[in-house]
Amino acid sequence: MIRVAIIGASGYTGAESMNIILRHSQAKLVYLSALPEECGDVGDVFPQFKGRYDLKIEPLDINKLTDLADVALCCLPHKVSMEFVPKLLAAGLKVVDFSADYRLKDPEIYQKFYSVKHTDTANLKDAVYGLPELFRKQIKGKNLIANPGCFPTGALLAIAPLLKEGLIETDSIIVNSVTGTSGAGRNPSAKFHFPNMNENLFAYGIGTHRHTPEMEQIAGEIAGETVQILFQPHAGPFDRGIFSTVYCRPKVKINSEQLTALFNDSYRSEPFVQVRKDAPAVKDIAGTNYCHIFVTYTKGRIVVFSVIDNLVKGASGQAIQNMNIIFGLEESLGLK
Amino acid sequence: MIRVAIIGASGYTGAESMNIILRHSQAKLVYLSALPEECGDVGDVFPQFKGRYDLKIEPLDINKLTDLADVALCCLPHKVSMEFVPKLLAAGLKVVDFSADYRLKDPEIYQKFYSVKHTDTANLKDAVYGLPELFRKQIKGKNLIANPGCFPTGALLAIAPLLKEGLIETDSIIVNSVTGTSGAGRNPSAKFHFPNMNENLFAYGIGTHRHTPEMEQIAGEIAGETVQILFQPHAGPFDRGIFSTVYCRPKVKINSEQLTALFNDSYRSEPFVQVRKDAPAVKDIAGTNYCHIFVTYTKGRIVVFSVIDNLVKGASGQAIQNMNIIFGLEESLGLK
Amino acid sequence: MIRVAIIGASGYTGAESMNIILRHSQAKLVYLSALPEECGDVGDVFPQFKGRYDLKIEPLDINKLTDLADVALCCLPHKVSMEFVPKLLAAGLKVVDFSADYRLKDPEIYQKFYSVKHTDTANLKDAVYGLPELFRKQIKGKNLIANPGCFPTGALLAIAPLLKEGLIETDSIIVNSVTGTSGAGRNPSAKFHFPNMNENLFAYGIGTHRHTPEMEQIAGEIAGETVQILFQPHAGPFDRGIFSTVYCRPKVKINSEQLTALFNDSYRSEPFVQVRKDAPAVKDIAGTNYCHIFVTYTKGRIVVFSVIDNLVKGASGQAIQNMNIIFGLEESLGLK
Amino acid sequence: MIRVAIIGASGYTGAESMNIILRHSQAKLVYLSALPEECGDVGDVFPQFKGRYDLKIEPLDINKLTDLADVALCCLPHKVSMEFVPKLLAAGLKVVDFSADYRLKDPEIYQKFYSVKHTDTANLKDAVYGLPELFRKQIKGKNLIANPGCFPTGALLAIAPLLKEGLIETDSIIVNSVTGTSGAGRNPSAKFHFPNMNENLFAYGIGTHRHTPEMEQIAGEIAGETVQILFQPHAGPFDRGIFSTVYCRPKVKINSEQLTALFNDSYRSEPFVQVRKDAPAVKDIAGTNYCHIFVTYTKGRIVVFSVIDNLVKGASGQAIQNMNIIFGLEESLGLK
C-alpha cells in the first residue's frame, strides 16, 4: 500500500487527488498539509469528504514525513514549490510536483515567464516531464516528476503524432482553448464571481500565457526542432474541462482518413487516450482521466480537437497516473 | 425631463438602473457617484455601457447635486445610506433609497437586525415603503421612498390579497425562496466563487435573515394584526430572479378557483403583476419589472408561487416605478 | 465477483450504475439491454465509457441471463418494469428495481397515481423498500428490492428521526424540494431545452407529484399512524442533486441542540448520512452516495435541510448499496 | 409610427424582435403569424409577454397584411422563407428576412450548402446584405434586406478593416467561434437537452457550416478578391452571445498600436461597434446590439476578438437596425 502525502491540500487539485485516492486499491492517504489558516478536519475544510476521510489538514512538518509517507503530491503554487520539493526529496519521498517549477528546462525562460529566479536548478535537471503517453519509460522509478500543465496536456496529446511524423509546419501551430473555471483556483476574484462568470466567456493571457513556453519546449523535443505555438486560452462558464481546437498547416498532402489512421496507431495501446470518429465534447471526459481526440483535414489545415478534464488528466489524475508508474503499479489504479 | 443622479453607482443595482434609464423617454442620467476606487468612465467600470453612456462615475459631491439633479437613486449599502440621505434631501432632491435604512419603522428592530443604532429617525418617520401595488397613493409626491427589499417584494405581493381579506392564519406563514446570485452583490466571496456556486444550491440566513422583520412589518400593516413569517432563503446557480413558494393555512374553506378569482380581482389594474393560470418560472420575468403569481389550494394549504427579477422589480425597476409615481409620470416609463 | 446486468441501460441511471460498478472491487458488469433503437457499443451510446467498457447494449434476451448474471439493476420506466421483473426473478436473478412499480404497497393508490392497473401484485407483496438506513435488515438476502424514489430518499431521511420519536404533528409536514435536471431523464423536452431551463427555476407537479404517496406510505410506517405530506418539487438549473427544505410543527417544546443530538444518535453508525452543524449545499454531495442533513428550530417550526445526489443516493448508488446488502458485501463497495 | 408584422413569430428571434419593438418609440407591432400549432395569445405562447402585448399569434394571412403593416420581419427558416418573401413584397411590404435565402448571391452555392434549388432568384438579385456598418447606403430605402447570419456578423466586423486595407493574406483566415445555445433555436434536441449541454462545450459543423460561404462572399466583396475562411463553430453552456477569435496572417509588418488605430478609425462613427483596449467578454454585450472588438499582434499573427449577442446584433437587433435605416429613422431607436 503506497502511503501518500498531499502538500498544499486545501485547493481544488488537492481535493481532486483525495477523491481519486479514495478509489485506489493500493494507495492510501496518510498526511495532508496546508497554510495554517486553511487547516482543520478534512470534513470541515471540504464538506464533501465528511465521513469519508478521518484526517486533519495540518501545517507542514517535513520531519514527520520520512517515516510516514512514500510519495508526496505537491500541490503548491509556482515559486513556493521549489522551496519545499528539495526538502521532500531529502526526506526520502518520491515527489509528483503540480507546479510549473520543474517543467521548464531552461531557468532563463522560467525566470522570464514566472518573474523569479529559479532556486533549485539541481533537481530541475533530474526532473522528468510527467506526460506518460510520451515519457512513460523515463518516469518509471524516478524521484521527481514535473506534472504537466492542464493546457499543455490537452494540446500536446493533440499534436504529438503529427510532430513525431514531421507532418506539420512547426512555425504556425495555433492552439485555441476554452477552459472551465476550476482552472482559476479556489481564491475568489471579480472575474470568476458567479454573477460575472455565469453566462460569460472571455479570452485571457493574450500572447503571454505561461503554458506557451511549456508547450513549445515539449513540442520541440518531440519534433526535434524549434516549434512556435500561438496559444490562446479562454474561460467558459463550466466547472471542469478544457476543449482545445488546434490548427496546423500540413507539410504534405494528407487526408482525414490518413490522419485518423495515424492517431489510431499512435494511441492504440494508451489506456487514457481515445481517438474518436466524431468531435468530442467536454462532458464526455468530465470527471475522468481520459483525453478524447478527433482529427480531420479541412480547408488546407489539419484541425485536431482534444478534450480533457483539467483537474483530472490535467492535474490530479495525471499525477496519480505518474505515481502508479513510478511505483510499478497498474497505471489505471484509482482512475477507472 | 427628470434629471437622475445615482449615488453608489458601482454595484449591480446601479448598473441596472442605468440600463433602465437608457430606455426612459422622460428621464436622463446626469450624475454618478461611487467610492473613489470605483470611479472612472462608465464604459471602463461597466464595459456593457461603452458607447452608450458618456459619463464619469465620480466621488460624491453633494454640493453639485442641487442644481444638477431632481432625484437621487441611492444605491448605498445599509448603514451608509442613512448618513447621506439627509444630505440629499437637504440639497432639494427627491430620494429613492435602495437600502433597508428607511424600511423598518421601529428603530429598535432596525438596531436588532442591522446591529447599529438608527441615526436618522426624523426622516425615517416620513419615509414611505415603496411597494406601489400597496402604497401607490402615499408614494405620490413624496420626498423619500424606502425601496423594498427583493424578497419582501415577491413575498408580499403573494400574500397581500389573502391578508387583506383575512383568509389565512397569521402565525403560520412560510416563505421558501430561491434567489439568483446577483442578490449577493458585486464583491467576490468564496460562496459565490463560480466553481463553488455553479451546480450548487444552498440555504442561508436560517432564522436570521434581515428581510424577515420587513415582511412581517408590512404584512402586519395589511392584516391589521401581528403577522409571523418563517422566511427561508436559498441561493441557486443563476444570475437573476427570485422564486418564492409561500405556504399558508386558510382560516376558512376555500378552493383554487376562489383563490384565483380573488387574486385576479386584486391585481386586475396593476400593470406589473400578472396572475397566472399555471406555475410561473423565473425565466418568464427575468430582465423585466413583472411579478407573476399563481395561487392554488392543496393538502389543506394555500400555496402561492411568486417570481420577480431581484434586480428589477426587486430593486432598480421598482425604484424607477416609484420615481415615475413621485413625479406624476406614466408608471411604466422605461419599464416596458 | 457479483455479475451484474443492467436492464434499461440507455438512460442516466443506467450510465450512473455503470460508472459505479467500474469502481466496485467485487462486482462486474456482464450484460446491458435497452430498446433496439438505443443499442450499440457502450462507447458509442455513452462516449464517456469509450475505452472503459468493452460491452454492447443489446435488446433484452432474458434466456441468456440465467447463466450470465446474479443480479439485475432494472432501470425500466414505471409500468414497463412490472412486465419484466417477474421474468427476471423467474430466471433466478436478484432484482433491484428503480421504478415505482414495487414501492406502493396499495395497488389502488398505485393505480390512482400511475393511471394503470398493477399487474404483478404477487411480487409486490414480497418486495422490500430499499432505503437501507430504515430497512437494512429486511433487505438482506431479499430477491426483489424496490429502490426508493429520489425525492422520498432525501425527505424520509430528513424526517425519520422525528417521526420515530413522535415529535412532530403528522398532518402538517411540508417538503419543499429543488431538483437538478437529470431527474427529468434523457428524453429532450421543451421545459428542459437548455435555452429554456438555463437561468430558470420552476415548480411542477403541484398537488399531484407521484412521490407524495410514496413518502406518505413510508412516513406512515415509521410513525405508526397516517402521515400527510405537502410535497412541492421544483426544478433548478443544475445537473445533479436535490435540496429539500422540510418544515414540521413540533408536538413538544424542543430546541436546536436537542434536535441535533437526536439526529446524531439516529445516524451515528450510518456510513452515508452525515449530520451537519451548518446548512448543507448540493455541491457537498454531488457525485456521491451521501445524504447531508442539518436540523434546527426556528419560529415555532422544526426545519430540516437535506441534500442528496438524485442519480446516486437517489437512484444508482442506493441500488448498489442495496445490492451490496443483499449479497452480504461491505455496504460501501463502489461508493466511496 | 412604423407598423411591423413578424412572420414566424414563435421562435427565439421572433420573441427578441417583440422585446425590442416594445422599447421602440416609432414602431409598433401589428401582426404576428406562426404555424397553426404554435398560435395563440402572445402571453400564452411567451409568458414573458403576458400583460405586455395584447395580440394573438395567428396563421399567416398575407391578404390582411397590405393594409395592416409597413414592414415584415420574416423569421422563417431557410427554404421556407423564399416561398413567402415574394408574396410579402407583392403585398407592398418592406421585408427584412432573417433566413439565409437572400444572402448568398450565387444560387449554385446556395444549392450546395442548403441542398435545395433557389426558387426566387429574381428577388435574390435585388436583396441587399444587411450589415449596416458595411452597406448602410445600399440598405436605405430598399425593399428587401437579407439580414446577416449571426456568426458572419461577428466575424466580418472583426476582419473588415483588415481586408479593406489589404493587410492580411486572404487564404489563411481562421475564425474560431463559440456560440450560446439560443442559436440552436427553440426545438428541443438531444445535444441541447439541459443535462447534456450544461457543463459542456463541443465543436460542430466541422468543415461544413453554412455560414462559411456567407462569410467568404462578403469578405471577398470587401477585399476585392477571393477570400478563404476556415470557420469552426462551437457551442457553449450559455444562452446568448458569440465569442469569435480570428487568426490572420499579416502581409506587412504591423504592430498592435497600428492595428488599434486602424480599427478606431474604421469604427469611430459606428454607434454599435466599440473598439476595446482589452479583450471583450460575452457578458459585456449580452442583451444589446453592440459588437465589441479587440485587435492585437502576437506570434506573427493578427488576432481579433469579437463578441456579439447572437439574438440581437446577430439577428433581431440588426433587423430592427436595418428597418430603422430603410425608413430613414434614427438608427438606434429601440436599441439603446
Side-chain angles (χ1 to χ4, degrees):
Chain A
M1 192 68 92
I2 308 294
R3 299 167 304 162
V4 183
I6 300 179
I7 313 303
S10 61
Y12 291 140
T13 56
E16 189 65 24
S17 301
M18 292 165 65
N19 204 40
I20 294 168
I21 291 168
L22 269 182
R23 295 161 177 165
H24 195 298
S25 59
Q26 299 185 39
K28 65 174 179 179
L29 202 55
V30 295
Y31 184 81
L32 297 167
S33 81
L35 290 175
E37 61 271 27
E38 292 162 350
C39 289
D41 284 340
V42 167
D44 290 336
V45 179
F46 294 115
Q48 71 262 40
F49 292 121
K50 200 168 154 46
R52 298 165 75 196
Y53 270 119
D54 188 25
L55 274 173
K56 277 192 188 311
I57 304 180
E58 50 188 275
L60 181 59
D61 178 353
I62 286 185
N63 295 329
K64 294 172 67 168
L65 281 175
T66 307
D67 296 331
L68 203 60
D70 302 305
V71 59
L73 305 182
C74 190
C75 304
L76 298 171
H78 314 314
K79 301 171 196 174
V80 180
S81 204
M82 61 187 170
E83 289 178 42
F84 289 94
V85 165
K87 298 173 188 169
L88 293 165
L89 291 169
L93 278 73
K94 307 274 188 184
V95 177
V96 182
D97 182 54
F98 286 55
S99 85
D101 289 355
Y102 297 93
R103 295 180 197 153
L104 296 176
K105 284 300 176 193
D106 182 338
E108 290 191 14
I109 292 180
Y110 179 86
Q111 186 163 351
K112 182 179 160 199
F113 276 84
Y114 291 88
S115 309
V116 72
K117 196 174 161 61
H118 204 290
T119 58
D120 186 27
T121 50
N123 287 310
L124 175 59
K125 280 201 198 80
D126 291 336
V128 172
Y129 190 77
L131 193 53
E133 289 75 14
L134 297 176
F135 304 108
R136 185 173 285 114
K137 281 181 196 156
Q138 295 92 312
I139 294 165
K140 213 160 200 166
K142 261 285 169 184
N143 290 326
L144 175 56
I145 305 298
N147 209 48
C150 53
F151 289 116
T153 294
L156 291 168
L157 291 173
I159 57 176
L162 300 169
L163 290 171
K164 272 185 196 159
E165 298 298 319
L167 293 176
I168 54 174
E169 295 192 6
T170 51
D171 66 345
S172 55
I173 300 169
I174 296 171
V175 175
N176 187 100
S177 298
V178 186
T179 183
T181 59
S182 54
R186 207 179 169 204
N187 283 333
S189 66
K191 287 227 163 193
F192 293 91
H193 187 42
F194 188 90
N196 295 340
M197 182 69 234
N198 185 40
E199 295 293 289
N200 203 1
L201 190 140
F202 56 80
Y204 66 100
I206 299 167
T208 64
H209 197 282
R210 292 162 165 184
H211 284 175
T212 305
E214 182 181 335
M215 287 183 198
E216 290 181 340
Q217 170 187 299
I218 306 298
E221 286 182 34
I222 303 168
E225 60 175 302
T226 300
V227 175
Q228 181 178 291
I229 295 177
L230 169 40
F231 166 55
Q232 182 53 58
H234 306 70
F238 49 101
D239 278 6
R240 286 160 172 268
I242 291 174
F243 193 108
S244 293
T245 309
V246 185
Y247 302 94
C248 307
R249 191 184 283 271
K251 276 186 186 161
V252 298
K253 201 163 144 42
I254 197 159
N255 63 32
S256 296
E257 289 68 33
Q258 293 167 320
L259 289 164
T260 305
L262 168 65
F263 275 66
N264 275 329
D265 284 351
S266 300
Y267 291 122
R268 180 147 299 142
S269 59
E270 284 303 332
F272 292 117
V273 182
Q274 297 293 322
V275 179
R276 297 276 297 263
K277 287 168 286 187
D278 53 359
V282 160
K283 211 158 189 170
D284 296 341
I285 50 72
T288 83
N289 198 50
Y290 282 76
C291 176
H292 283 199
I293 293 178
F294 174 63
V295 60
T296 191
Y297 177 88
T298 184
K299 293 248 168 184
R301 300 288 171 126
I302 297 169
V303 186
V304 196
F305 302 88
S306 145
V307 288
I308 60 162
D309 184 317
N310 56 306
L311 288 181
V312 191
K313 184 63 178 167
S316 307
Q318 186 143 270
I320 285 160
Q321 188 182 355
N322 280 316
M323 182 190 86
N324 289 341
I325 296 171
I326 294 175
F327 288 96
L329 303 176
E330 189 200 330
E331 198 166 323
S332 65
L333 283 180
L335 301 168
K336 273 163 194 163
Chain B
M1 194 66 95
I2 308 293
R3 300 166 304 162
V4 183
I6 300 179
I7 313 303
S10 59
Y12 291 140
T13 56
E16 190 66 23
S17 300
M18 292 163 65
N19 204 40
I20 294 168
I21 292 168
L22 269 181
R23 294 160 179 167
H24 195 298
S25 60
Q26 299 185 37
K28 65 173 179 179
L29 202 55
V30 296
Y31 184 80
L32 296 167
S33 80
L35 290 175
E37 61 271 28
E38 293 163 348
C39 289
D41 283 340
V42 168
D44 291 337
V45 178
F46 294 115
Q48 71 262 39
F49 292 121
K50 200 168 153 48
R52 299 165 76 197
Y53 270 119
D54 189 26
L55 274 173
K56 278 191 188 310
I57 303 181
E58 51 188 274
L60 181 58
D61 178 352
I62 286 185
N63 296 328
K64 293 172 68 170
L65 280 174
T66 308
D67 296 332
L68 204 58
D70 302 305
V71 60
L73 304 182
C74 189
C75 304
L76 298 171
H78 313 316
K79 301 171 196 174
V80 181
S81 204
M82 61 187 171
E83 289 178 42
F84 289 93
V85 165
K87 298 173 188 168
L88 293 165
L89 290 169
L93 278 72
K94 307 274 189 185
V95 177
V96 182
D97 182 53
F98 286 54
S99 85
D101 288 356
Y102 298 92
R103 296 180 196 152
L104 296 176
K105 284 302 176 190
D106 182 339
E108 289 190 15
I109 292 181
Y110 179 86
Q111 185 163 350
K112 181 180 161 198
F113 277 84
Y114 291 89
S115 308
V116 72
K117 198 174 159 59
H118 204 292
T119 59
D120 186 27
T121 50
N123 286 310
L124 175 59
K125 281 200 199 82
D126 291 337
V128 172
Y129 191 75
L131 193 53
E133 289 76 13
L134 298 177
F135 304 107
R136 185 173 284 114
K137 280 180 196 157
Q138 295 92 312
I139 294 164
K140 213 158 199 167
K142 262 286 168 183
N143 289 327
L144 173 56
I145 305 296
N147 209 47
C150 51
F151 289 115
T153 295
L156 291 168
L157 291 173
I159 56 175
L162 300 169
L163 290 170
K164 271 184 198 161
E165 300 297 320
L167 294 175
I168 54 174
E169 296 192 6
T170 51
D171 66 346
S172 54
I173 299 169
I174 296 172
V175 175
N176 186 100
S177 298
V178 187
T179 180
T181 60
S182 55
R186 208 180 169 202
N187 283 335
S189 66
K191 288 227 161 192
F192 294 90
H193 187 42
F194 188 89
N196 296 340
M197 182 70 233
N198 186 38
E199 296 292 288
N200 204 2
L201 189 138
F202 56 80
Y204 66 101
I206 299 167
T208 64
H209 197 282
R210 290 162 166 184
H211 283 175
T212 305
E214 183 181 335
M215 287 183 198
E216 290 182 339
Q217 170 187 300
I218 306 299
E221 287 184 31
I222 303 168
E225 60 174 302
T226 300
V227 175
Q228 181 178 292
I229 296 177
L230 168 41
F231 166 54
Q232 181 53 59
H234 306 70
F238 50 101
D239 278 6
R240 286 160 171 267
I242 291 174
F243 193 108
S244 294
T245 309
V246 185
Y247 303 93
C248 306
R249 192 184 283 270
K251 276 186 188 162
V252 297
K253 202 165 145 43
I254 197 160
N255 63 31
S256 297
E257 290 66 35
Q258 292 167 319
L259 288 163
T260 305
L262 168 66
F263 276 67
N264 276 329
D265 283 352
S266 299
Y267 291 123
R268 181 146 296 140
S269 61
E270 285 303 332
F272 292 119
V273 181
Q274 297 292 322
V275 179
R276 296 276 296 264
K277 286 168 288 185
D278 52 359
V282 160
K283 212 157 190 169
D284 295 342
I285 50 74
T288 82
N289 198 50
Y290 283 76
C291 175
H292 283 199
I293 293 178
F294 175 63
V295 61
T296 191
Y297 176 87
T298 184
K299 293 248 168 184
R301 301 287 172 128
I302 296 169
V303 187
V304 196
F305 303 89
S306 144
V307 289
I308 61 162
D309 184 317
N310 57 305
L311 288 180
V312 190
K313 184 62 179 168
S316 306
Q318 187 143 272
I320 286 159
Q321 187 181 355
N322 280 316
M323 181 189 88
N324 290 340
I325 296 170
I326 294 175
F327 288 97
L329 303 175
E330 189 200 331
E331 198 168 322
S332 65
L333 283 179
L335 300 169
K336 272 163 196 163
Chain C
M1 193 67 94
I2 309 293
R3 300 166 304 162
V4 183
I6 300 178
I7 313 303
S10 59
Y12 290 140
T13 56
E16 190 65 24
S17 300
M18 293 165 64
N19 204 39
I20 294 168
I21 292 169
L22 269 180
R23 294 162 179 166
H24 195 298
S25 59
Q26 298 186 39
K28 65 173 178 179
L29 202 56
V30 295
Y31 185 80
L32 296 167
S33 81
L35 290 176
E37 62 271 27
E38 291 162 349
C39 288
D41 284 340
V42 167
D44 291 337
V45 178
F46 293 115
Q48 71 262 40
F49 291 121
K50 201 169 153 50
R52 299 165 75 197
Y53 271 120
D54 189 25
L55 273 173
K56 276 189 190 311
I57 303 180
E58 49 187 274
L60 181 58
D61 178 353
I62 286 186
N63 295 328
K64 294 173 67 169
L65 280 176
T66 307
D67 296 332
L68 204 59
D70 302 306
V71 60
L73 305 182
C74 189
C75 304
L76 297 171
H78 313 315
K79 301 171 196 175
V80 181
S81 204
M82 61 187 170
E83 289 178 43
F84 289 95
V85 164
K87 297 173 188 168
L88 293 165
L89 291 169
L93 279 72
K94 308 273 188 185
V95 177
V96 181
D97 182 54
F98 287 54
S99 85
D101 288 355
Y102 298 92
R103 295 180 198 153
L104 297 176
K105 284 301 177 192
D106 182 340
E108 289 190 16
I109 292 180
Y110 179 85
Q111 185 163 350
K112 181 179 159 196
F113 276 85
Y114 291 88
S115 308
V116 71
K117 199 175 158 60
H118 204 291
T119 59
D120 186 27
T121 51
N123 287 310
L124 175 58
K125 281 201 199 80
D126 292 336
V128 172
Y129 190 77
L131 193 53
E133 288 75 13
L134 298 177
F135 305 108
R136 184 173 285 113
K137 280 181 195 158
Q138 296 92 311
I139 293 164
K140 212 159 199 168
K142 262 286 168 183
N143 289 326
L144 174 57
I145 305 298
N147 209 47
C150 51
F151 289 114
T153 294
L156 291 167
L157 292 173
I159 56 175
L162 300 170
L163 290 171
K164 270 184 198 160
E165 299 298 319
L167 295 174
I168 54 175
E169 295 193 7
T170 52
D171 66 346
S172 55
I173 300 169
I174 295 171
V175 175
N176 187 101
S177 299
V178 187
T179 181
T181 60
S182 54
R186 208 178 168 203
N187 283 333
S189 65
K191 286 228 163 191
F192 293 91
H193 187 43
F194 187 90
N196 296 340
M197 183 70 233
N198 185 40
E199 296 292 287
N200 203 2
L201 188 138
F202 56 81
Y204 67 101
I206 298 166
T208 64
H209 197 282
R210 291 162 165 184
H211 283 175
T212 305
E214 182 181 334
M215 287 183 197
E216 291 181 339
Q217 170 186 298
I218 306 299
E221 287 183 31
I222 303 168
E225 60 175 303
T226 300
V227 175
Q228 180 178 292
I229 296 177
L230 168 40
F231 166 54
Q232 182 53 58
H234 307 70
F238 50 102
D239 279 6
R240 286 159 171 269
I242 291 174
F243 193 107
S244 294
T245 308
V246 185
Y247 302 93
C248 307
R249 191 185 284 270
K251 276 185 187 163
V252 297
K253 201 165 147 41
I254 197 159
N255 63 32
S256 296
E257 290 66 35
Q258 293 166 318
L259 289 164
T260 305
L262 168 66
F263 275 68
N264 276 329
D265 284 350
S266 300
Y267 292 123
R268 180 146 298 141
S269 60
E270 285 302 332
F272 293 118
V273 181
Q274 297 293 322
V275 179
R276 298 275 297 263
K277 286 168 287 186
D278 53 358
V282 160
K283 210 158 191 170
D284 296 341
I285 50 75
T288 81
N289 198 50
Y290 282 76
C291 175
H292 284 199
I293 293 178
F294 174 63
V295 61
T296 192
Y297 176 87
T298 185
K299 292 247 168 186
R301 302 285 171 130
I302 297 169
V303 187
V304 196
F305 302 88
S306 144
V307 288
I308 59 162
D309 184 317
N310 57 304
L311 288 180
V312 190
K313 184 62 179 167
S316 306
Q318 187 144 271
I320 285 159
Q321 188 181 355
N322 280 316
M323 183 189 85
N324 290 340
I325 296 171
I326 293 175
F327 289 97
L329 303 175
E330 189 200 330
E331 197 166 322
S332 66
L333 283 179
L335 300 170
K336 272 162 196 164
Chain D
M1 192 67 94
I2 309 293
R3 298 167 306 163
V4 183
I6 301 179
I7 313 301
S10 60
Y12 291 139
T13 56
E16 189 66 23
S17 301
M18 293 163 66
N19 204 38
I20 295 168
I21 292 168
L22 270 181
R23 295 162 178 165
H24 195 297
S25 60
Q26 299 185 39
K28 65 173 179 181
L29 202 55
V30 294
Y31 184 82
L32 297 166
S33 81
L35 291 175
E37 62 271 27
E38 293 163 349
C39 288
D41 283 341
V42 167
D44 291 335
V45 178
F46 294 115
Q48 72 262 39
F49 291 121
K50 199 167 155 50
R52 300 166 74 196
Y53 270 119
D54 188 24
L55 273 174
K56 278 190 188 311
I57 304 180
E58 50 188 275
L60 181 58
D61 178 352
I62 286 185
N63 295 329
K64 293 172 68 170
L65 282 175
T66 308
D67 296 332
L68 204 59
D70 302 305
V71 59
L73 305 181
C74 189
C75 303
L76 298 171
H78 313 315
K79 300 173 197 172
V80 181
S81 204
M82 63 187 169
E83 289 177 44
F84 289 95
V85 164
K87 297 172 190 171
L88 293 164
L89 291 168
L93 278 74
K94 307 276 188 183
V95 177
V96 181
D97 182 55
F98 286 55
S99 85
D101 289 355
Y102 298 92
R103 296 179 197 153
L104 296 176
K105 284 302 177 192
D106 182 339
E108 291 191 13
I109 292 180
Y110 179 86
Q111 185 163 350
K112 181 179 159 199
F113 276 84
Y114 292 88
S115 308
V116 72
K117 197 174 160 62
H118 204 291
T119 59
D120 186 27
T121 50
N123 286 310
L124 175 59
K125 280 202 199 78
D126 291 338
V128 172
Y129 191 77
L131 193 53
E133 289 75 13
L134 298 176
F135 305 107
R136 184 173 284 113
K137 280 181 195 156
Q138 296 93 310
I139 293 164
K140 212 160 200 168
K142 262 285 169 185
N143 289 326
L144 174 58
I145 305 297
N147 208 49
C150 52
F151 289 115
T153 294
L156 291 167
L157 292 174
I159 56 176
L162 301 170
L163 289 170
K164 271 185 196 159
E165 299 297 319
L167 294 175
I168 54 175
E169 296 192 7
T170 52
D171 65 347
S172 54
I173 300 168
I174 295 172
V175 175
N176 187 101
S177 298
V178 186
T179 182
T181 60
S182 55
R186 209 180 168 203
N187 283 332
S189 66
K191 287 227 164 194
F192 293 91
H193 187 43
F194 188 90
N196 296 340
M197 182 71 232
N198 186 39
E199 295 292 290
N200 203 2
L201 189 139
F202 56 80
Y204 66 100
I206 299 167
T208 64
H209 197 282
R210 290 161 166 184
H211 284 173
T212 305
E214 182 181 333
M215 286 183 197
E216 290 181 340
Q217 170 187 299
I218 306 298
E221 286 183 33
I222 303 168
E225 60 175 301
T226 300
V227 175
Q228 180 178 293
I229 296 176
L230 169 42
F231 165 55
Q232 181 54 57
H234 307 68
F238 49 102
D239 279 5
R240 286 159 173 269
I242 291 174
F243 193 108
S244 294
T245 310
V246 185
Y247 302 94
C248 307
R249 191 184 284 271
K251 275 186 188 163
V252 298
K253 199 163 145 41
I254 196 158
N255 62 32
S256 296
E257 290 67 35
Q258 293 167 319
L259 288 164
T260 305
L262 168 66
F263 275 67
N264 276 329
D265 283 352
S266 299
Y267 292 122
R268 180 147 299 142
S269 60
E270 284 302 332
F272 293 117
V273 181
Q274 296 293 322
V275 180
R276 297 275 296 264
K277 287 168 285 187
D278 53 359
V282 160
K283 210 156 190 170
D284 296 341
I285 50 72
T288 83
N289 198 49
Y290 282 76
C291 175
H292 283 198
I293 293 178
F294 174 63
V295 61
T296 191
Y297 176 88
T298 185
K299 291 250 168 184
R301 301 287 172 127
I302 297 169
V303 186
V304 196
F305 302 89
S306 144
V307 288
I308 60 161
D309 183 317
N310 56 305
L311 288 180
V312 189
K313 184 62 178 169
S316 306
Q318 187 143 272
I320 286 159
Q321 188 182 356
N322 279 314
M323 182 189 86
N324 289 340
I325 297 171
I326 294 175
F327 288 97
L329 303 175
E330 189 200 329
E331 198 166 321
S332 65
L333 283 179
L335 300 168
K336 271 163 195 164

